[in-house]
Amino acid sequence: MPLRATIKHSLQRFIRARRGAAAVEFALIAAPFFLLIFATLEVALFFLGSTIIENGVHEAARTIRTGQLQQSNQTVEDFRGSICERISAVADCSRIQVDVRTFNSFSSSSTNMPLNGDGDIDGSDFTFDPGGGGDVVVVRVFYDWQLLAPGVISGMSNMSGNKRLITATAVFRNEPFE
């Protein structure tokens, strides 16, 4: 059999062969598929954690709004513990930072993000002033959520160390409890 006929015959056999095609196709698709699945899980876990933290903050802030916290002389640590009871299933309570301020009106209640230039939380000016009856109060709780996979979704990280800042805010006017 001449060389040309042998090459042609071998090439035709290679084109017709189907053994291993599924393995090769899976190898080409597997990495992007699993990356997409993992990214979806990462986003879902982040939103679940964020929702639980926000609900916990709103429930705990109700004690400020109704005056229960002020009338029982609770401290910022007591308030943080109240939040922690509600979110401990998804969050490490040692990483919670609380900022509670009173304002004269809703329109004057502007606040800024507490991230410094290094991408870390700067809580040096955080206060705990739950106010009195009828005061406008802004309760902000910050939590640095550790992302599981660095670089899977590079746009999610807004802090140093592959973390995302979760901010839960409750703005309300205290009930006239005094």
Side-chain angles (χ1 to χ4, degrees), residues 24-86:
V24 171
E25 290 169 356
F26 180 75
L28 292 173
I29 302 299
F33 175 73
F34 287 121
L35 188 66
L36 181 65
I37 294 294
F38 196 74
T40 302
L41 289 174
E42 175 100 48
V43 171
L45 285 173
F46 172 76
F47 280 120
L48 175 70
S50 179
T51 301
I52 290 173
I53 290 170
E54 287 175 13
N55 286 334
V57 168
H58 285 284
E59 290 291 322
R62 182 157 173 70
T63 62
I64 294 175
R65 184 177 185 178
T66 60
Q68 292 172 330
L69 183 125
Q70 294 90 322
Q71 291 173 344
S72 62
N73 295 321
Q74 292 184 8
T75 64
V76 66
E77 292 305 320
D78 297 326
F79 184 65
R80 182 179 285 121
S82 175
I83 294 169
C84 187
E85 288 173 8
R86 293 168 169 87

Side-chain angles (χ1 to χ4, degrees), residues 64-126:
I64 294 175
R65 184 177 185 178
T66 60
Q68 292 172 330
L69 183 125
Q70 294 90 322
Q71 291 173 344
S72 62
N73 295 321
Q74 292 184 8
T75 64
V76 66
E77 292 305 320
D78 297 326
F79 184 65
R80 182 179 285 121
S82 175
I83 294 169
C84 187
E85 288 173 8
R86 293 168 169 87
I87 69 169
S88 61
V90 296
D92 176 13
C93 294
S94 66
R95 296 188 351 222
I96 295 172
Q97 296 194 33
V98 177
D99 183 30
V100 178
R101 300 172 186 261
T102 58
F103 293 93
N104 295 330
S105 66
F106 286 105
S107 61
S108 66
S109 62
S110 65
T111 55
N112 56 353
M113 287 299 285
L115 292 178
N116 61 19
D118 295 332
D120 295 320
I121 297 175
D122 180 18
S124 60
D125 67 337
F126 286 175

